[in-house]
């Protein structure tokens, strides 16, 4: 027989053949995740405080680094992978994201509506300022 090794995502459960490496593999995965998280955090501080980048591009750079940081945390620490046994985890994450999006959009909609309905019109404000 051939000794075929299949690729595994970080956090996937090892097969029976991989059980001998399982003890050091978990520590390695967490160490790699920690190093990547620290590097991305340091890069975010550098992007925010440097003058080498075009000023309007700084928020975009921070957004890209934040998305990469979320990806590192999901894969290396929360072990969210595309494996068949992680379907419930992915669905729970998607549901959480949906709830956050609904709350944020609803809050923004309410604040916009209150701003439109509670603030006096500009003509009325000018009339009050004249007297």
């Amino acid at each position: 027989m051939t000794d075929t090794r299949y690729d595994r995502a970080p956090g996937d459960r090892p097969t029976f053949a991989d059980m001998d490496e399982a003890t050091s593999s978990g520590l390695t995965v967490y160490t790699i995740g920690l190093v990547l998280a620290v590097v991305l955090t340091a890069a975010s501080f550098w992007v925010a405080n440097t003058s080498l980048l075009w000023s309007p591009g700084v928020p975009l750079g921070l957004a890209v680094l934040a998305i990469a940081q979320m990806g590192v945390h999901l894969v290396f620490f929360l072990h969210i992978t595309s494996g068949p046994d992680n379907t419930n985890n992915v669905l729970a994450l998607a549901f959480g994201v949906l709830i956050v999006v609904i709350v944020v959009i609803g809050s923004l909609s309410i604040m916009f509506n209150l701003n439109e309905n509670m603030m006096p019109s500009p003509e009325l404000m000018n009339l009050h300022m004249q007297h």
Side-chain angles (χ1 to χ4, degrees):
M1 292 264 158
T2 60
D3 185 26
T4 305
R5 297 184 60 98
Y6 297 101
D7 289 336
R8 289 186 301 123
D12 277 352
R13 293 193 176 134
T15 60
F16 186 71
D18 295 334
M19 285 306 227
D20 57 344
E21 333 178 317
T23 56
S24 66
S25 175
L27 183 62
T28 305
V29 168
Y30 285 115
T31 304
I32 291 170
L34 177 66
V35 168
L36 286 174
V38 168
V39 166
L40 287 170
T41 302
S44 297
F45 278 103
W46 179 80
V47 165
N49 293 321
T50 188
S51 61
L52 296 175
L53 294 176
W54 184 49
S55 295
V58 170
L60 180 64
L62 289 174
V64 167
L65 289 169
I67 291 170
Q69 183 94 322
M70 285 187 284
V72 166
H73 285 279
L74 288 173
V75 171
F76 287 98
F77 301 123
L78 297 175
H79 306 294
I80 302 291
T81 60
S82 60
D85 57 335
N86 284 325
T87 304
N88 288 338
N89 292 341
V90 173
L91 287 175
L93 178 67
F95 181 71
V97 169
L98 175 70
I99 295 300
V100 168
V101 167
I102 288 172
V103 167
V104 168
I105 289 174
S107 298
L108 291 174
S109 171
I110 289 170
M111 288 188 288
F112 178 75
N113 190 16
L114 284 174
N115 187 38
E116 287 294 316
N117 292 328
M118 298 297 286
M119 292 297 293
S121 67
E123 295 84 21
L124 188 58
M125 287 296 289
N126 287 337
L127 181 63
H128 284 297
M129 296 298 269
Q130 291 174 358
H131 293 286

